[in-house]
Structure formats: C-alpha cells, structure tokens
Amino acid sequence: MLKSESSLPARYVVGVDLGTTNCAVCFVDTGKNPSQIQTFRIPQLVAPDLLESRDTLPSFHYQPTDEEFVDQIPKRKKTGNKKAGRYLVGTFARDHGAKVSGRLVSSAKSWLSHSGVDRTAPLLPWHGAEDVEKLSPVEVSSRYLEHIRTVWDTAHPQEPLDRQDIVLTLPASFDEVARELTISAAKLAGLPKIVLLEEPQAAFYAWIHDHRAESEIHPGQKILVCDIGGGTTDLTLIRVKTAENGKLRFHRVAVGEHLILGGDNFDFTLAHHLQKRLVQEQRIPKNEETEGGTKLPARLWFVLVRLCCQVKELMLGLNAQDSTTLHLPGFGSKLIGGSVQIEISRQEVHDLLVEGFLPQVALDSKPTKSASGFREFGLPFASDAAITRHLAQFLSVHRHSGEDAIEDRGQRTEDRSAYDPARPDMVLFNGGVFEAAALKQRLISVLEDWFNPTDRDPRTKIWSPKILENPQLYLAVARGAAYYGMVRRGAGERINASLARTYYIGVENPDDRSVRAVCLLPASTEPDHEIALDQPRFELRIGTPISFPLYVSSLRLTDQPGETLEIEPEQLTSLPPIRTVLKSRRKKQEMIHVRILGKLTEIGTLELAVEEIPERITSRRPLNWRLEFDVRSTTQTDILAHESDAEQDGFLDESTWEEMKNVLTQTFGLEDRGQRTEDRKEITNYELRITDNTDRGKVLPFDASLSSVLCPLPSLKIKPSELIRKLLEVAPMEREDWPTSLLRRIGECLMDLESGRKLSAEHEARWLNLLGYAYRPGFGFAMDDYRIDRLWKTLQGTLVHKSPAVSVQWWVLLRRISGGLTIGQQQSLCEPILGNIRALYKQLIDGRGRGCDLDLTSQEGAEIWRMIGSMELLAVATKIELGDMIGELVLKKRMDPVYDAMIWTLGRLGARHLLYGPLNAVVPSQSAVKWIHRRIKDSKTRPIDPFTLMELARKTDDRYRDVPETVREEVLRYLRKISAPDHFARLVREAVGLDTKEETLVFGESLPVGLRLAR
C-alpha cells in the first residue's frame, strides 16, 4: 500500500537561527543525492525600491509613518490573532530606522527572556513614538519568522515552509518561559511544528559537519563552546566519551546562566564614551531635547549606537587602523551642513571593549552583583560586564561536570599533578562578537594564564587550548540546525544532550509547614526518558486550586530523584509555578496519593504530570493529569512566589497557632453560636446588628417583607473590637513582627470564616481590615496568587453592610492586596471610579455637570484615592489622565481634606520605579516633568510633597524613564528649600534603593517581615 503524500518525510530540512542581531536560514534538500547544507538567501528591502537577497535578515523591525513608502509596503490584512500593519524587517529597516526616533525595534530576542516586563504585552519599540503600533516581543519575533516563511514559500511554492522539518535555535540558557514564548512566536508566524535546538549545540553541529574526519579529538576531552552574539553570552561544555561501539560520542554536560551580555553592550559602551566626550567638549547644544547639553537626543543616540557597532568591527579586526572618525548628523533643524565629527583611536576602543569586557582576572573570580550600568532599553543587562569573570565561575563550578575516570582522559597519571579539571581542552568560538580577532585572542590569552603554572619551566611549551574553527560565524548556527535536522533522521553524529540543570518541585513539610525542594529531574536526564517519582510519598488534593512551586539549579548537578533539600536562593532559582485545579469525575475534594512524572521532550521542553497511586487493587484506571507551566502569570506580572525572603522567616509553632485560630473562630465563627450549617444561607438576607454591650446581643426586627422569621444571635465570645488584643495576648510577638507564614494562615482562616462578617457592620469592618493586613501586598509568598484569586471570587466587590467604616476598610483591603490583582481586575475596579473622577473634574474645573456619586473628599474618598494610586497595572494612558486631573483638582479648596491622599497617589502614578508593575507600565518622563513643574509651582508644601517629588524625579539610569537632568536639579533645589530628608535628595541624584521608612511611604504602610520592594 502506498503511503499518502502527507505521511512522506518532508523534502527539506530547514535550520533557522532567530538571532538577536541577525536571522539566518540554511537547509538540506533531501531530494538530491548527495545532499548538502545550503544557505537560503533571504529577499528583503535594502533601500527604497531595491529588493535584494542576503545571507542574513537583520533582526530589526521598522514601522513607517502613514506617508512613508506608501507604494512599497503593502498593508497586511489581519488574519486570526495577528495584527494588521505596515512594517519593514531586515536591512532597510535597520539602516533607515536608525535615523528615525521611536519607530525601530531591535533586540526583541532579549526581551523574550526579560522577566521584568510583561513579555506578551505591546511594549516595543521601548518608549516609541506616540503614533507607532506597539508590539509584544513575541509578535516582533513572529514577524521575522513570518517574513522568512513568506519569501521561502515564494521560492518554493510546491514545498511551503510549514510542511518542512524546521529546527529553530535559541540560547541554551533560555528559561522555560522564554522557550514557550519562542514556540508561540513560531505558531503566530504560521509555523506550528518546530524542534528547538540550543545555539551552542548548533554551532558544534556545524563544526562536526565540516570536520567529520577530525583526528585530534580523544575520549575524556572537554570542549568549551563560547557563544557571544549580539544580545547574550552562552557558555556550554561538551565532553568527549566512547560509545559502546567504540566510536566517539559527544555529551553536552553543562550550560551557563542566562546573561544578557553581548555585542549590544559593546556598542552601548562605545556610545556612552563618545557621548561623554561630546559633553566634556561642550559640543552638544544646551536645550531641553539634549537635557541641558548632557545627552544626545534620542534620534542621534540611535545613530551613534549604530556607528559604534561599525567602529567595533573595524577597530578590533586584523590590520585595524590607528583611528577613525565618526560623522553624526547635525542637531535641531541643521541636519545638513551641521554634522558633528568625533575621532576615536584604536587604543580607546581596546581599553573600553577588550579590557572592559575581557579583563585578565583570576580563575577563582566571581561576577559582581552590583546593579547594571546599562538600562538604555529597559533590558536587564548582566550586572557584571566582565565576560571573563562569568567564564571563570562557569569553569570552576563545572570543574567535574560529566567527568569520567582518570584513565578515560587519555592522560598519564603522572601528568595529572599539574592538571586542573576545570581546564577545557578545546574551544569553539561562536557569535558575531568573535568576528573581532582581538577579542578572540584575548580570551585565549586568559585561558592560557589560568591553566599554565606560574612556576613552570620556561623551556616547556606553554599550554594553549586547541581552537575549533567554524567558517562564517554568522551562518554557523543555522548550518548546525540544518545538520541536526538530518541527525534526527538518522544521518550524522548526535550530541547527547541531557538536561543541563537539575529541576525540583516544592513540597510542604506537614510538621512545620515549611516548603522544601525535592529533586524531580536530575541533570543527567536524557531526552524522552521519563522519571517517575513516588518517593517521598506525596499526597495531593483534587478538586481545588493548587500550586506546584518549581526550582532549577545549574550548580547542583549530582542530586538524584527524590532527594530533599532546603531552599537556598544562591543555589536554586524559582521557575514559574504550575497552577491548576485537578478535577475528576468523582466531583468531590479529596486527598489522594500520587507519583510525579517528569520528562525532557525531544523538542527541548519540560513535561510534568501526576498520576494516582491507588490505595487498593481495583479495576479502575488510576487518575492522571498533565501539568503545564503557568506562563501567563509570569509573563503578565513576573512576580515569582519565592523571590523574597518571607519564607525563610520561620513558622509559628502549631500550639500557638491553634490558640490564635480559636480566637478568630470565637470572633467570626457561626458554628460556635448554635447556628446550623443549613441556616447560614438565611443570614445573607439580613443585616444583623449588636444593640448592647452585653455578651448576649439582640436582633432588631426587620421589615416583614424580608422575612417573618428572625435568626437568634447566640452569645458572642469575643467582640471584633477585642480581636487584635486577644491575638496579641496569644502570639509571642508584636503584630508588626508576625512572619508572613503566620499572616497567610490568618488570612486563610478568615476566608474559611467568611460568613462571620455578615453578623454586623463591626464584624465585617474588622474582617476586611485584618484580611488585608494578612494578605498584603498580595504577592511574595507561595500560593499567594491562589489566595488572592479565592478572595476575589468570594467577595466579587460586594459588601454586606453599607456603613462608612465597612466601605473604608474595603478600599484599604484593595490597596493592600493590589500587587496580587491582575490587569483585568485592577481595570474593573478602577473604571467606575474613573468615571466619578471625570464627573468631579467637569464640575469643579469646567463648571459643568452634577458632580460624582462617590464622596471623594471624605475619609472613604481618601482611601479610594490611595487605592487608585496602588493600581500599577492600569494602562499608561489612564494613569496620565488621572495625574493630569489630580494636578488641577488638588488646588480646589473642596479637596483639602484629601490633599495628602491625592498627592501620594500622584507620586505613585508617575513613579520612575514601580513597586510590582512591569517597566512598560511606567508613565513617560514627559508627564512626570509636567507634574513636577506643577507641584513646585502650586505646592502647599505639606509633608507629603517631598515624597511625591522624589517619586516623580527619582533616578533610574534609564534614559527613557529618567526626567531630564535640568528638571532633577530643579527638584533638588526645591527639596533643599523645604528641608526635605537628605535621602530623598540622594534618590533623585543617584540610582539607589529605598530605606525602610521610604518603603513604608511607597507602600502606604509597613510591609510584612521579609518582603522588600523592587530596588
């Protein structure tokens, strides 16, 4: 029987390098014999009306204005969930976009791994022009792939790309979220079936393809792949071993930490250096666009960065000249004839780039942990730019990774006295950075210094690693990916790539409720090898929301499945937790015994599942569920459950907790008051009030239309007004010192006693107040997302009692937990309030309308304003509108009672550093400047004003978030004039962290012990 056409193997095997700076495509036509790897030259615009095919597609995305290139760029139709739009990608996008401010996107790949922003949100170009269509990093990446698919399909109409075998590369250090988002980008581009391959492996596959007959490789040797591209530094170790058939086998045994550190950093360093020289030479005009002559305008900054990229390649190459001159366009309107020239020497470039990024350091060096000096595009660049320090730590940590017996190294025992197992035998350089001969030679020199004895006999030959050469570094990854596609078909040499990290799952210790890590998948796990973990014995609750905390370590590579250990942040890194509800047809909540299953898939993703272990022999099939990473929660809020120290602050002993739980139950519990469970529903139809001060309360008669039956209220053992005092009598510490673990248990207990808030307005107010205190700030502790979700679904914005005290505590609760609310939840809370504020604005400023329904000048109004200020996920446009209205409303005498609350809110809305929100939620500096000027001009100089000015002018070292230097100087003068705290002034002058008092001001009250704000 003939196979159907759809079941036949694809004709083409295609390798795609989705690079930070350039994309490349190579392929194998399996219909030809012999087959060979070919480069697909990618058609693209290189100039207006000029279409050419190039070996690479520059990873740059440009959105023209409506008037630009009208006849050259067809407007794409919206299909599925893809946005329509006119855009350019490739060479012309890069070259033309560098000349136009705010319309060019670059380094989208680096944004895919940026945990400080919502990577699925439209945020690129970072601080782009007002009329530009913002895109998410996923969408930008998909457009590069879509362009590749389109031009491939044009060249191969009978063999469209989505029907071929596609291998897509990514950094080895990409975390699980970045991998999932890469897959999403491919699907969005119409490529639903891809295989992922790590870039260092791809580079080595390219070398294998070109050097199959290499004879100098022996079992036991170690190969270092050093891959430094435009955006990342990727380090990988490969061991050479002997297979059972006697042939050589390559094993990838270690992968470095993810470092956003590459060619972009080199370019920024040169650009900052030249900008500094222009400032010192007073060659930048002093105006608002140049921040008083201290910075280049954004449009010229991009031009300078692009020029520096060219200078880097020119001055670090072979036969480099002694100096070169850069030509910048003119400032202001003098774009012709007013250009600025600046000369730079080869020695300057060497000192900045070679000495700055590849300094001679000791092998025991470790990277520094100070804040990165580069925040130009909001990217989290590596805190230490010295690549050699990262390499030293990598080689030292993985000194014995994958090492076999001494004899397997092919070295005599007597030679090993001077041998350091951290030493690599061979080095394969990859990435565009190593096109510069000076950088490659410096790294070789550093390795020689590390592994040659200082007291060696000068007559002996100096040790130097063997260098494995890949021609055309810009194509090596794509060529290797195509070769790997053939390896998957059984043709070629496979690299044995087990997990490069160890994965753990967090489990609760029932004795003290602490969370410990259990090794789930060891670093030696092979692809498609499933591990079933049934020891230690796991219990799991089904039918209710649960969370599985996950951790990963690239340092602990010898832990075995089932090993349990303490969570040490220095060794374990949190991953996005798995959050789900495990349901079954039994339709009830119950505890079951389970085993955990883990597997590394062939395409490079992690699969997890849980499977029931039946308590007795039965014919019923065991329950099982597949688990998936909660990518959405991470990409939207990037708040990891374990990034704080809160879980290390200890857990209260159970006997004390039982006493505290009893106090809560005696305050809010209904069962202890003789109330039958089936009667609880009736209470929701009444508003019960306590009418005297005795232990036994009375129920006032209600309107007969509600009910003719009154529920008797039994004795109250603890009054709401006595609750905190009673808890403090039981707890062995002050309330401010209660550990986060205790606070969360209090909150969970209050949620279980939720019906008790219906007893009286006093009960509800106390219940809301303590619940908000227990759950603040809404994140920072394991399963906080579940707690906030449960609270949200339970309350649904409804209050039982409508007293002012209850309403005040409702807004306080929302302010306290705002960091745990989603974008949609924050928006739904604020939209009706925003309507009331608009109505108030029309009445007081425009003299129109009847005003608002809410009293925004009362105590409740003050809490509403503070709640609004805490909602950091609101749309930037909404924040700007609110800030503009506050600036005018606060001057009206009617608003005096809530002046402090409104000015605090203004500071939070325009803050340069957010408490929990992503960077794309920061209001543009232009709005902050407007609000600053208004405050300085109109301020009543109350105690809250210095705080707000500090928030609006606080230094970040990000050119796009920072207000101009001249404005900061104006704020500093004003702070001195009103004798503001000295540290406020320092926060405006320098990019430093808050002290404890300032953290309290930003949050609105003290934080739970162990939780800290973002610095």
Side-chain angles (χ1 to χ4, degrees):
M1 183 177 180
L2 295 176
K3 293 183 178 180
S4 66
E5 185 177 344
S6 61
S7 66
L8 293 173
R11 174 175 174 176
Y12 292 99
V13 174
V14 184
V16 180
D17 175 11
L18 183 62
T20 306
T21 308
N22 291 287
C23 300
V25 180
C26 291
F27 66 94
V28 176
D29 184 349
T30 63
K32 294 183 178 180
N33 191 14
S35 60
Q36 58 181 355
I37 298 177
Q38 303 174 64
T39 300
F40 177 65
R41 292 176 58 79
I42 305 171
Q44 59 198 280
L45 272 179
V46 297
D49 296 313
L50 182 58
L51 187 72
E52 289 185 0
S53 296
R54 299 283 177 92
D55 283 350
T56 62
L57 177 77
S59 304
F60 293 83
H61 178 287
Y62 176 76
Q63 183 184 145
T65 64
D66 292 338
E67 294 76 27
E68 285 185 300
F69 318 119
V70 175
D71 299 326
Q72 296 164 309
I73 308 173
K75 186 167 183 177
R76 297 165 175 86
K77 295 181 180 180
K78 181 177 180 180
T79 58
N81 61 347
K82 291 194 299 183
K83 295 179 179 178
R86 297 173 63 248
Y87 59 87
L88 288 167
V89 296
T91 301
F92 186 53
R94 177 195 64 197
D95 297 343
H96 180 71
K99 304 172 186 176
V100 183
S101 176
R103 312 193 77 85
L104 181 69
V105 176
S106 61
S107 303
K109 183 176 176 180
S110 296
W111 287 91
L112 279 179
S113 61
H114 188 349
S115 62
V117 298
D118 176 354
R119 289 168 268 181
T120 62
L123 53 90
L124 299 177
W126 187 242
H127 292 276
E130 290 185 4
D131 64 331
V132 76
E133 175 197 21
K134 291 292 189 74
L135 300 170
S136 73
V138 176
E139 290 170 319
V140 175
S141 300
S142 77
R143 288 189 172 184
Y144 302 145
L145 293 173
E146 183 181 20
H147 179 87
I148 290 170
R149 179 178 64 81
T150 301
V151 296
W152 172 280
D153 291 352
T154 301
H156 306 86
Q158 303 303 316
E159 301 289 346
L161 189 58
D162 63 343
R163 297 182 188 173
Q164 311 312 308
D165 288 348
I166 304 172
V167 178
L168 183 64
T169 64
L170 40 62
S173 54
F174 256 20
D175 64 17
E176 277 58 39
V177 174
R179 289 172 186 252
E180 292 290 346
L181 293 177
T182 302
I183 293 173
S184 298
K187 290 179 179 177
L188 195 60
L191 302 174
K193 296 186 296 182
I194 62 169
V195 171
L196 299 180
L197 178 66
E198 297 169 4
E199 288 163 3
Q201 281 193 68
F204 191 65
Y205 271 123
W207 183 87
I208 292 174
H209 174 266
D210 295 331
H211 300 83
R212 288 191 180 95
E214 190 72 37
S215 60
E216 297 185 28
I217 292 181
H218 306 289
Q221 289 181 318
K222 180 162 57 174
I223 301 166
L224 167 67
V225 182
C226 189
D227 184 359
I228 306 178
T232 57
T233 291
D234 233 351
L235 304 173
T236 292
L237 284 179
I238 296 174
R239 288 278 188 182
V240 185
K241 301 185 180 183
T242 306
E244 293 180 359
N245 59 7
K247 294 184 177 181
L248 295 180
R249 289 295 305 272
F250 300 104
H251 292 251
R252 196 267 280 114
V253 296
V255 169
E257 298 290 336
H258 184 64
L259 299 173
I260 298 185
L261 176 60
D264 288 348
N265 302 73
F266 288 58
D267 303 339
F268 294 153
T269 297
L270 280 178
H272 274 284
H273 171 72
L274 292 177
Q275 177 181 252
K276 185 177 180 180
R277 279 184 48 192
L278 289 171
V279 171
Q280 291 172 343
E281 296 167 12
Q282 298 184 353
R283 297 171 67 186
I284 299 179
K286 295 182 178 181
N287 54 42
E288 185 173 339
E289 187 184 23
T290 65
E291 298 191 12
T294 62
K295 285 185 177 181
L296 287 170
R299 60 180 178 82
L300 293 185
W301 170 253
F302 280 109
V303 174
L304 180 59
V305 170
R306 180 63 190 152
L307 290 172
C308 287
C309 178
Q310 299 169 5
V311 168
K312 170 190 67 182
E313 297 168 357
L314 176 68
M315 303 299 279
L316 294 179
L318 296 173
N319 305 317
Q321 56 195 47
D322 290 335
S323 65
T324 190
T325 301
L326 285 75
H327 298 266
L328 277 174
F331 294 92
S333 61
K334 298 180 180 180
L335 300 180
I336 300 175
S339 65
V340 176
Q341 298 181 2
I342 185 167
E343 187 177 26
I344 186 168
S345 69
R346 180 175 58 179
Q347 189 61 46
E348 280 181 277
V349 175
H350 182 278
D351 292 344
L352 285 166
L353 303 187
V354 179
E355 299 299 336
F357 288 89
L358 297 170
Q360 296 277 3
V361 299
L363 181 58
D364 59 359
S365 298
K366 294 182 179 180
T368 59
K369 299 297 183 182
S370 60
S372 170
F374 287 125
R375 303 177 190 181
E376 287 297 340
F377 299 109
L379 288 169
F381 292 119
S383 59
D384 191 335
I387 294 171
T388 44
R389 273 195 283 271
H390 293 284
L391 177 60
Q393 183 182 50
F394 174 71
L395 292 177
S396 298
V397 166
H398 296 290
R399 182 175 263 111
H400 300 288
S401 294
E403 189 176 52
D404 290 334
I406 292 176
E407 291 75 17
D408 288 343
R409 286 196 54 87
Q411 286 185 280
R412 298 191 305 274
T413 304
E414 59 269 20
D415 293 336
R416 293 187 60 80
S417 59
Y419 169 73
D420 186 338
R423 190 187 81 187
D425 299 284
M426 303 176 183
V427 178
L428 175 66
F429 292 109
N430 192 62
V433 164
F434 289 116
E435 295 283 3
L439 298 173
K440 184 185 296 185
Q441 189 53 51
R442 167 52 68 90
L443 198 55
I444 294 171
S445 174
V446 169
L447 290 170
E448 289 173 345
D449 285 351
W450 285 346
F451 299 111
N452 278 294
T454 54
D455 58 349
R456 69 180 180 85
D457 188 331
R459 294 170 296 180
T460 61
K461 183 179 179 180
I462 187 172
W463 172 86
S464 187
K466 176 178 173 57
I467 305 303
L468 305 181
E469 297 288 352
N470 256 342
Q472 297 177 301
L473 291 181
Y474 61 95
L475 291 176
V477 168
R479 285 174 57 81
Y483 177 77
Y484 174 67
M486 295 302 295
V487 169
R488 295 184 70 243
R489 294 191 177 193
E493 186 78 28
R494 180 184 289 270
I495 299 172
N496 184 11
S498 58
L499 277 175
R501 305 173 181 87
T502 303
Y503 288 80
Y504 306 83
I505 191 164
V507 296
E508 183 180 277
N509 185 334
D511 295 333
D512 58 8
R513 291 179 61 90
S514 63
V515 178
R516 297 171 64 82
V518 176
C519 178
L520 177 57
L521 289 176
S524 58
T525 304
E526 301 284 345
D528 281 339
H529 175 66
E530 186 174 85
I531 290 181
L533 193 64
D534 47 20
Q535 291 295 330
R537 189 174 173 86
F538 296 103
E539 287 186 332
L540 184 65
R541 182 174 296 279
I542 62 174
T544 187
I546 54 175
S547 176
F548 295 89
L550 295 174
Y551 306 88
V552 64
S553 176
S554 60
L555 303 178
R556 302 183 62 97
L557 303 183
T558 59
D559 292 338
Q560 295 302 305
E563 286 191 39
T564 304
L565 58 144
E566 299 288 341
I567 297 172
E568 300 181 20
E570 296 79 14
Q571 294 191 329
L572 302 183
T573 302
S574 292
L575 286 175
I578 290 174
R579 295 159 175 153
T580 187
V581 177
L582 302 181
K583 299 179 180 179
S584 75
R585 284 175 289 183
R586 302 175 194 174
K587 297 182 180 180
K588 63 177 181 177
Q589 296 184 14
E590 61 176 308
M591 295 293 293
I592 63 172
H593 292 289
V594 297
R595 65 168 58 91
I596 303 176
L597 308 174
K599 182 174 73 172
L600 172 66
T601 68
E602 188 179 7
I603 68 168
T605 58
L606 195 65
E607 281 189 2
L608 296 175
V610 293
E611 181 180 86
E612 179 187 18
I613 302 176
E615 295 296 318
R616 59 184 182 276
I617 298 176
T618 176
S619 59
R620 178 179 59 82
R621 294 182 61 182
L623 299 171
N624 63 81
W625 299 268
R626 180 179 175 179
L627 306 177
E628 295 183 358
F629 289 103
D630 189 356
V631 173
R632 176 182 172 275
S633 68
T634 303
T635 57
Q636 288 200 350
T637 68
D638 291 291
I639 298 169
L640 299 181
H642 302 277
E643 66 180 3
S644 71
D645 297 326
E647 295 186 7
Q648 312 303 320
D649 291 327
F651 293 76
L652 209 64
D653 66 273
E654 286 300 304
S655 60
T656 302
W657 163 244
E658 288 299 329
E659 292 185 54
M660 297 184 74
K661 182 179 178 181
N662 187 48
V663 170
L664 295 170
T665 303
Q666 290 188 57
T667 306
F668 299 106
L670 295 179
E671 295 291 348
D672 290 344
R673 300 193 174 104
Q675 184 71 39
R676 298 191 311 275
T677 303
E678 56 268 26
D679 290 337
R680 288 187 181 184
K681 187 174 181 180
E682 294 184 22
I683 290 182
T684 62
N685 296 324
Y686 305 99
E687 183 175 359
L688 305 182
R689 291 189 176 89
I690 307 304
T691 58
D692 60 21
N693 295 320
T694 63
D695 287 341
R696 180 170 295 277
K698 299 177 182 178
V699 181
L700 292 177
F702 287 85
D703 191 301
S705 63
L706 293 177
S707 177
S708 59
V709 180
L710 296 177
C711 301
L713 185 65
S715 61
L716 294 173
K717 296 184 179 179
I718 296 179
K719 298 177 182 178
S721 60
E722 300 174 343
L723 174 60
I724 300 301
R725 178 176 61 81
K726 292 289 187 181
L727 288 173
L728 291 173
E729 289 176 358
V730 173
M733 61 193 77
E734 294 298 320
R735 183 167 65 156
E736 292 74 17
D737 297 327
W738 287 352
T740 312
S741 58
L742 173 59
L743 290 170
R744 297 307 190 255
R745 294 187 80 173
I746 290 172
E748 291 166 1
C749 184
L750 288 170
M751 288 299 298
D752 291 339
L753 298 169
E754 184 264 338
S755 295
R757 71 184 173 109
K758 303 175 178 68
L759 291 168
S760 71
E762 186 182 10
H763 279 84
E764 186 167 25
R766 176 54 64 188
W767 186 85
L768 292 168
N769 177 274
L770 185 54
L771 183 62
Y773 186 81
Y775 278 172
R776 73 193 201 286
F779 63 91
F781 201 74
M783 293 189 70
D784 273 353
D785 60 315
Y786 162 61
R787 295 184 181 96
I788 300 302
D789 186 57
R790 181 190 178 196
L791 184 155
W792 178 265
K793 291 177 180 177
T794 300
L795 297 184
Q796 287 295 315
T798 60
L799 299 177
V800 179
H801 307 92
K802 304 301 182 182
S803 72
V806 171
S807 296
V808 165
Q809 293 306 323
W810 167 245
W811 301 117
V812 170
L813 166 70
L814 293 175
R815 171 178 60 78
R816 283 170 160 169
I817 67 167
S818 58
L821 300 175
T822 66
I823 295 174
Q825 289 166 346
Q826 292 195 7
Q827 184 174 336
S828 67
L829 284 170
C830 293
E831 277 182 351
I833 299 172
L834 184 59
N836 276 270
I837 295 175
R838 289 186 183 120
L840 180 65
Y841 181 85
K842 287 181 180 179
Q843 182 190 51
L844 296 186
I845 305 301
D846 299 336
R848 297 185 291 113
R850 61 180 180 81
C852 59
D853 297 326
L854 293 173
D855 183 359
L856 294 173
T857 64
S858 62
Q859 181 185 357
E860 179 183 356
E863 295 303 336
I864 291 174
W865 285 112
R866 291 190 178 97
M867 186 274 291
I868 286 278
S870 298
M871 300 295 172
E872 292 186 350
L873 303 183
L874 292 178
V876 169
T878 300
K879 292 182 179 182
I880 293 173
E881 181 188 7
L882 280 165
D884 288 344
M885 288 191 291
I886 288 174
E888 295 188 64
L889 283 172
V890 78
L891 301 178
K892 299 298 181 180
K893 187 173 182 59
R894 178 174 166 184
M895 308 306 294
D896 280 355
V898 291
Y899 179 94
D900 285 0
M902 292 178 72
I903 295 301
W904 181 88
T905 295
L906 183 67
R908 287 295 305 274
L909 290 172
R912 304 296 84 201
H913 286 267
L914 298 184
L915 164 59
Y916 60 85
L919 291 177
N920 51 289
V922 176
V923 166
S925 60
Q926 297 91 322
S927 294
V929 169
K930 180 168 65 173
W931 300 344
I932 287 170
H933 285 151
R934 183 136 205 167
R935 296 311 321 131
I936 291 177
K937 176 183 176 182
D938 301 327
S939 175
K940 302 176 182 179
T941 61
R942 295 187 184 178
I944 193 63
D945 286 295
F947 163 78
T948 296
L949 287 169
M950 178 273 291
E951 283 278 86
L952 296 173
R954 188 176 166 195
K955 180 129 186 210
T956 69
D957 278 340
D958 180 342
R959 151 189 319 263
Y960 297 101
R961 279 189 289 159
D962 280 340
V963 299
E965 186 69 30
T966 53
V967 177
R968 281 205 303 275
E969 289 297 330
E970 189 178 355
V971 171
L972 287 169
R973 287 193 296 271
Y974 185 81
L975 292 177
R976 285 193 293 271
K977 175 183 174 182
I978 62 176
S979 302
D982 291 339
H983 200 248
F984 278 13
R986 188 184 175 200
L987 287 163
V988 174
R989 282 194 310 268
E990 308 170 36
V992 294
L994 304 172
D995 61 26
T996 303
K997 290 182 179 179
E998 290 155 353
E999 284 186 344
T1000 300
L1001 268 174
V1002 171
F1003 182 55
E1005 61 185 301
S1006 64
L1007 283 162
V1009 175
L1011 291 179
R1012 292 290 179 267
L1013 300 187
R1015 297 295 179 181

